[in-house]
Amino acid sequence: MAFRRALKRLLQEIPNQGSRCYSTEARQMVTMIPGDGIGPEISQSVKDIFSAAGAPVDWEDVDVTPVKGPDGNFRLPPKIFDSMDRTKVGLKGPLATPIGKGHQSLNLALRKAFNLYANVRPCKSIEGYKTPYNDVDLVTIRENTEGEYSGIEHVIVDGVVQSIKKITEEASMRVAEYAFAYARDNNRDTVTAVHKANIMKMTDGLFLKCCRHVAEQNKDIKFKEMYLDTVCLNMVQDPTQFDVLVMPNLYGDILSDLCAGLIGGLGVTPSGNIGQDGAIFESVHGTAPDIAGEDKANPTALLLSAVMMLRYMGLSPYAQRIEMACFDVIREGRVLTGDLGGSSKCSEFTEEICRKVRESE
Amino acid sequence: MHTSRVAASSSIIQHKKYSTEPHFSKYGGRTTVTALSGDGVGPELLSYVQEIFRYAGVPVDFEELEINGSTTDEETLCSALLSVQRNGIALKGNIESKFDEPGFKSMNVELRTQLELFASIVWCKSIPGVYTRHQGLDIILIRENTEGEYSNLEYQIVPGCIENLKIITEAKSTKIAKYAFEFAKTHGRKKVTAIHKANIMKLGDGLFLESCRKVASQYPDIEFNDMIVDNASMQMVSKPQQFDVLVMPNLYGNILSNITAGLVGGYGVVSGMNIGDDYAVFEMGTRSSGRSLKGKNIANPTGMLLASCDMLDYIGCNKHAELIRDSVMKVMSVDKVQTPDLGGQATTLEVIQAIIEDIKPKTTSWSTTAAQNVSIDAFLFNFKVTIVNSTLESCMRRPIEMAKRWQTFKE
C-alpha cells in the first residue's frame, strides 16, 4: 500500500501533459453527470457496457440542477465541484438549456474551475453508418477559453457594437503543445494550424507564432498552416487530407461541428475537454425530450466519449475493446437504434454491445 | 510633388458621389473595365478572359493594373482605387496576403472597404456533369463585406495578449439584410436564412439578427429563419438542399461560402461579386489566388469566366454574357473538358481552346477586327474627356496608355 502511494506520488511528479497518472490496478472514481432528457438512459447504457467490459471504473452520480443560493441567485450545486475535485475526471450527458442561466453557465463554470483549455473531437467515419463522406479520420483541437468567446462586448453608441476577441500567448502555447502531444500519443503524423492571419494579423498571427514555435520543438510531427476558408473548401471536397487540426475558439467551434456533420452528426461524435486540473468528456447532442424515457435513444456519442475518457485515464485496453464492440455492432447493422437506421431499442443496442464486449475478452 | 499627388488622390477617394446610379466608362460603344491582376493564377486567368472576349466580340476594353502581394506602396493602391472609381467596374484576381511582413495591410480588404462594396454575393449552383456528393443545390450566399471581424482593429494590451475588435453596426446590418431580401424578391426566391452566433456574441450578432428580423417583417412573402453558424455548417454538409438564400456577417459568410463552393465543385466553378452603391468588383467566388497552381497550366478558368459573364450582365451586355456562359457550361458539363480539380485531365489551355472553338461559329457574323475597330473621333473624344475628368496623376499616366492602345489599333 505504501509502495503504491509512493509510486503514485512519483508518477505525479513526472512532468507530463496534465494529470494522467492513473494506475491500471486500482479502481478509479469518475464523476457522472447524467444530464436531462435522454441523458439518464444513455448514462445507464454506458455504465452497463463498462461493467460488461470489467473496466475498473466506479461512478459518482451528480445532479447539476441549479440551486438557489443564500443570495437568491441560482447557481451550480457545490457537490459537483467537490466531486470533480476528488475524481478529476467527469463524463457529462446532454443538458437542457433552461431559460436564463443554466447550460452555458455550467459549461463556463466547469471550464473555469478546472481550467479546461482544449476541446478535442476525433471525427472518424463509422462503418455501417453511411454518409456522403468516407474514410474521414481527423481530430479537431480547439482552444477552449478565450478568443471570440471571451464574452466582452460593448455598445459604443446606439447601433454600433464591438465584440472583443482576445488571444494570449499563454493559452495559444498551451493548446499548441497539447495538440502536438496528442498527435504523438495517438500516432498521428500531421498537425495543421487553422487561422485567418491575413485578416486578423495580430491576433491570429500570435496564435500562429505560438504554433510555429511548438512545431519547432516537435520536429517529428509534420506541421502545416492553412487559412480557415481553404480548410473549409478542402474539407468538403476531400476530408481525408486532414489529420490533426488546431485552432482558436470560434474556428474550432465551427470546424468541429462541420466535421461532425461529415461523419453523421452530433449523435455519433465524441468530445472531450482537457484541462490542467482535470478533464470532462461529454456528448454534444441535444436532450431529445421527444424520445426521453422511451428507450429509443442512441448512446453512441456518450459511449465514444467514455472511450476517450478511458484512454485519457490510461485504460487503453478497455477502451479498445469497448470501441471495437460498438463499431462492430453498428457495422453488422442487425441491432441499431432509430437514428442509425434501425428499429431496435436503446436497451437492445446496449445489450448487443455488452455481448460483444464479453465475447472479446 | 509627391505629397500633393498623394493628397490629391486621397481627396478623390473621399469625394462624395452625388449620383446614386452606378456609372460606367462607356465611350464609343465600348466599356472600360479595370482589371486588377492579383497573384497566383490571377494574371493568367484574366488574360484568358480577354482572349475569350476578343473571340466573342465583347465591347469591353480592359485597363490593366498590376497589383499583387508584392505591392507595398500606397500609390499603387490609390491608382487601383481611382481606376475602379473612374470605370465603375472591375475584374479582379485575388491578392496574396503576406501577413508575416511588418506593416502588412490586406489590399483585398482595403479595396472592398474604400470602395464601400458592402455586399458579397456568391451563387452556388450544382453543375450537371461535375461530380459532387450533393446534387440539386441552388444556394445564394450574401455576406456583409465591409465590417465585422474584418475591421482591422487590433492592439496589444500587454506583451502576449492581443485583442481584436469585431464591429457590428445597425446601419450596415440593415443594409445587407435589405439587399438580401431585395435580391431574393428579384430572383423569385422563397426563403432567407440569417446566420449568426448570437447565443455567444449576444450584443454583436444579436444586433445583426435583430436588424435582419426588422427587415424581414417588411417582406411577408419571403420566409425568414435564422440558424447558428456551427449548426449551419453541419447542416450544409449533411442536408444542404434546405438552404435558399443566406445572409450573414463577414466571417461566417467567408466560411459558409467556401463550404458551399466546395459542395458544388470547388474553387474553379464559383464566381463572386462585390457590389457597392457606386462600384462593382467581380472575382472568383472563393477568393483564392491559386498560388500552388501558378504556371502549371492546370488552373480551372471557369470561375473567372463566369465572373466575367456576371460582369457583362451587370453592364448590360446580356447577349455576350449569355453567349460566353453557354459555351463555358457546355464545355464543362456536356463536352466534359475538365481540369484536374474537377477530376478531369485537361489543361487550362485546352479548356480555353474548347470554349473558343464553341464560340467561333456563334460569332461568324462578327469579325474580330470589327470588334476592335474604334473610330478616330471616338478615340479623340475619349482622350479629351479623360483629360478633363482626371486628376493630375491620372493625366500623367492615362494619355500614355491611350497612346499605347492607339499604337495597337494602328498595327
Side-chain angles (χ1 to χ4, degrees):
Chain A
M1 201 59 207
F3 167 74
R4 217 173 254 171
R5 264 209 302 274
L7 181 67
K8 207 164 189 173
R9 211 166 40 239
L10 181 68
L11 287 171
Q12 273 163 5
E13 274 159 21
I14 297 171
N16 60 15
Q17 301 296 322
S19 330
R20 298 185 51 178
C21 315
Y22 292 96
S23 155
T24 53
E25 305 283 332
R27 295 187 70 81
Q28 300 300 316
M29 190 69 96
V30 168
T31 305
M32 164 72 96
I33 303 165
D36 308 307
I38 55 171
E41 295 168 61
I42 57 178
S43 310
Q44 191 54 48
S45 291
V46 170
K47 286 178 188 169
D48 293 341
I49 294 168
F50 268 48
S51 59
V57 169
D58 288 323
W59 304 98
E60 190 174 304
D61 283 5
V62 177
D63 179 14
V64 291
T65 314
V67 291
K68 205 164 185 179
D71 56 354
N73 287 331
F74 279 93
R75 50 171 57 88
L76 290 168
K79 56 186 164 164
I80 174 65
F81 299 105
D82 295 335
S83 177
M84 281 288 305
D85 262 330
R86 275 180 285 111
T87 61
K88 305 287 188 207
V89 186
L91 186 65
K92 181 157 83 70
L95 287 168
T97 315
I99 299 161
K101 298 189 175 79
H103 180 240
Q104 197 173 333
S105 305
L106 168 69
N107 281 334
L108 198 63
L110 286 171
R111 206 168 60 218
K112 286 217 161 105
F114 302 102
N115 224 344
L116 303 175
Y117 62 86
N119 177 275
V120 184
R121 266 204 218 167
C123 293
K124 197 167 161 155
S125 282
I126 298 178
E127 240 183 294
Y129 190 39
K130 195 92 183 69
T131 62
Y133 300 89
N134 302 321
D135 300 325
V136 180
D137 186 7
L138 53 89
V139 181
T140 55
I141 297 180
R142 151 194 174 193
E143 204 293 319
N144 213 9
T145 59
E146 55 173 27
E148 297 82 350
Y149 291 22
S150 42
I152 313 167
E153 293 188 292
H154 313 105
V155 179
I156 312 284
V157 292
D158 218 8
V160 179
V161 174
Q162 77 181 23
S163 307
I164 294 187
K165 163 178 165 168
K166 191 168 84 156
I167 298 280
T168 58
E169 190 170 343
E170 189 196 337
S172 305
M173 280 294 205
R174 205 166 47 177
V175 77
E177 277 160 14
Y178 180 78
F180 278 88
Y182 183 94
R184 189 174 291 112
D185 292 343
N186 292 275
N187 298 319
R188 316 290 295 207
D189 66 355
T190 312
V191 171
T192 307
V194 181
H195 65 97
K196 263 209 96 56
N198 53 340
I199 302 297
M200 289 175 256
K201 176 189 151 111
M202 287 174 77
T203 40
D204 282 0
L206 175 59
F207 180 81
L208 202 54
K209 194 179 83 166
C210 296
C211 290
R212 283 174 182 164
H213 180 77
V214 175
E216 282 295 306
Q217 297 165 344
N218 292 276
K219 290 232 157 84
D220 53 325
I221 312 265
K222 276 189 268 214
F223 175 68
K224 283 201 283 203
E225 42 191 73
M226 220 185 247
Y227 290 137
L228 172 64
D229 39 9
T230 313
V231 171
C232 289
L233 182 65
N234 292 346
M235 182 73 76
V236 298
Q237 294 188 281
D238 180 22
T240 58
Q241 59 185 285
F242 295 105
D243 195 354
V244 176
L245 301 161
V246 63
M247 53 219 137
N249 215 332
L250 176 69
Y251 313 152
D253 192 5
I254 298 171
L255 264 182
S256 56
D257 277 6
L258 175 67
C259 297
L262 299 177
I263 61 164
L266 297 177
V268 293
T269 310
S271 173
N273 299 288
I274 312 296
Q276 271 161 342
D277 305 324
I280 294 181
F281 298 84
E282 58 181 353
S283 60
V284 285
H285 54 71
T287 53
D290 47 330
I291 55 168
E294 291 177 19
D295 202 16
K296 286 185 183 169
N298 178 2
T300 308
L302 193 63
L303 184 62
L304 291 176
S305 303
V307 163
M308 267 180 84
M309 182 187 76
L310 284 170
R311 290 205 168 99
Y312 173 84
M313 290 160 71
L315 299 169
S316 293
Y318 298 100
Q320 187 68 11
R321 275 170 53 209
I322 294 173
E323 192 181 49
M324 283 218 36
C326 178
F327 286 154
D328 282 344
V329 170
I330 297 177
R331 186 176 46 242
E332 282 167 18
R334 284 180 300 110
V335 186
L336 294 175
T337 49
D339 62 315
L340 292 173
S343 52
S344 304
K345 296 202 198 124
C346 175
S347 47
E348 288 168 0
F349 183 68
T350 309
E351 185 44 49
E352 185 65 16
I353 298 178
C354 290
R355 198 177 61 78
K356 281 252 183 272
V357 167
R358 283 187 217 108
E359 272 173 19
S360 68
E361 224 169 323
Chain B
M1 184 64 175
H2 175 258
T3 326
S4 68
R5 262 195 283 163
V6 172
S9 315
S10 356
S11 72
I12 288 295
I13 292 162
Q14 285 150 26
H15 171 69
K16 285 287 172 213
K17 291 270 157 197
Y18 296 109
S19 162
T20 51
E21 292 293 318
H23 71 283
F24 311 122
S25 291
K26 196 165 176 174
Y27 307 114
R30 297 180 67 81
T31 311
T32 309
V33 168
T34 306
L36 301 167
S37 63
D39 281 296
V41 296
E44 64 187 82
L45 294 183
L46 284 171
S47 70
Y48 292 140
V49 167
Q50 292 184 53
E51 187 73 11
I52 291 196
F53 275 21
R54 199 165 66 81
Y55 277 97
V58 176
V60 161
D61 291 318
F62 284 97
E63 185 184 334
E64 290 170 52
L65 261 99
E66 198 177 308
I67 178 166
N68 51 41
S70 317
T71 314
T72 46
D73 57 333
E74 276 288 320
E75 271 192 61
T76 313
L77 180 63
C78 285
S79 306
L81 289 167
L82 275 167
S83 174
V84 182
Q85 284 171 330
R86 191 169 47 241
N87 296 322
I89 192 154
L91 195 57
K92 177 177 166 287
N94 200 51
I95 302 165
E96 210 182 296
S97 301
K98 298 202 172 153
F99 55 83
D100 281 323
E101 276 163 32
F104 159 78
K105 201 167 57 169
S106 171
M107 283 208 243
N108 297 309
V109 176
E110 280 294 304
L111 280 162
R112 291 195 285 267
T113 39
Q114 299 267 17
L115 296 169
E116 290 174 15
L117 304 171
F118 67 92
S120 159
I121 302 118
V122 176
W123 195 325
C124 295
K125 209 167 164 170
S126 288
I127 301 169
V130 172
Y131 163 73
T132 51
R133 292 178 176 89
H134 305 272
Q135 306 299 328
L137 303 185
D138 189 359
I139 305 173
I140 302 173
L141 298 116
I142 298 180
R143 148 193 181 188
E144 206 294 322
N145 215 9
T146 54
E147 59 170 18
E149 299 82 352
Y150 290 49
S151 309
N152 201 21
L153 297 162
E154 293 181 300
Y155 50 89
Q156 181 173 270
I157 312 242
V158 291
C161 179
I162 301 186
E163 285 188 354
N164 170 295
L165 299 178
K166 162 182 163 169
I167 308 288
I168 300 276
T169 58
E170 190 178 353
K172 288 193 177 179
S173 302
T174 310
K175 192 169 184 183
I176 192 67
K178 191 130 181 77
Y179 187 86
F181 276 91
E182 280 298 316
F183 197 95
K185 188 166 148 189
T186 316
H187 292 86
R189 312 298 287 223
K190 297 280 171 279
K191 188 165 82 164
V192 173
T193 308
I195 307 292
H196 64 94
K197 190 93 189 147
N199 54 340
I200 302 290
M201 285 174 256
K202 296 182 164 68
L203 293 181
D205 285 357
L207 177 60
F208 178 82
L209 190 57
E210 205 40 55
S211 310
C212 289
R213 285 196 178 126
K214 281 194 190 139
V215 172
S217 60
Q218 299 162 14
Y219 294 84
D221 295 334
I222 299 179
E223 188 194 333
F224 174 72
N225 68 340
D226 64 274
M227 205 181 267
I228 299 182
V229 60
D230 41 5
N231 187 21
S233 308
M234 190 155 45
Q235 299 286 330
M236 191 62 87
V237 293
S238 40
K239 286 193 282 282
Q241 291 82 359
Q242 62 181 291
F243 294 108
D244 194 355
V245 177
L246 298 175
V247 62
M248 44 218 151
N250 218 330
L251 182 68
Y252 312 149
N254 181 228
I255 295 168
L256 282 170
S257 304
N258 277 272
I259 294 174
T260 319
L263 293 180
V264 295
Y267 81 90
V269 301
V270 176
S271 62
M273 45 179 126
N274 302 279
I275 307 291
D277 287 323
D278 304 315
Y279 317 110
V281 174
F282 295 82
E283 58 181 349
M284 286 172 62
T286 54
R287 295 181 181 169
S288 27
S289 59
R291 200 174 36 209
S292 55
L293 305 171
K294 182 177 176 179
K296 292 184 184 164
N297 198 16
I298 51 170
N300 193 339
T302 313
M304 191 61 93
L305 285 167
L306 290 174
S308 65
C309 293
D310 291 338
M311 179 196 77
L312 291 175
D313 274 327
Y314 191 80
I315 59 176
C317 293
N318 302 100
K319 281 212 187 84
H320 293 94
E322 204 181 305
L323 186 121
I324 298 175
R325 196 178 282 126
D326 283 348
S327 291
V328 169
M329 298 307 270
K330 177 171 173 291
V331 163
M332 185 167 51
S333 304
V334 177
D335 302 338
K336 299 240 172 69
V337 184
Q338 296 174 355
T339 40
D341 60 299
L342 297 178
Q345 302 293 329
T347 61
T348 318
L349 272 172
E350 282 167 8
V351 174
I352 296 294
Q353 206 52 45
I355 295 171
I356 290 173
E357 288 308 317
D358 197 75
I359 288 176
K360 267 190 196 159
K362 294 196 244 182
T363 57
T364 45
S365 57
W366 308 337
S367 68
T368 48
T369 47
Q372 278 185 354
N373 269 347
V374 175
S375 71
I376 294 177
D377 291 324
F379 169 73
L380 285 173
F381 174 73
N382 193 1
F383 189 84
K384 282 187 211 154
V385 169
T386 310
I387 294 286
V388 166
N389 286 346
S390 296
T391 60
L392 182 66
E393 189 219 1
S394 284
C395 283
M396 300 282 285
R397 192 172 44 84
R398 196 140 162 92
I400 300 166
E401 286 175 3
M402 294 306 293
K404 275 190 195 157
R405 204 171 290 153
W406 171 240
Q407 203 63 24
T408 324
F409 293 154
K410 266 173 69 181
E411 279 155 22

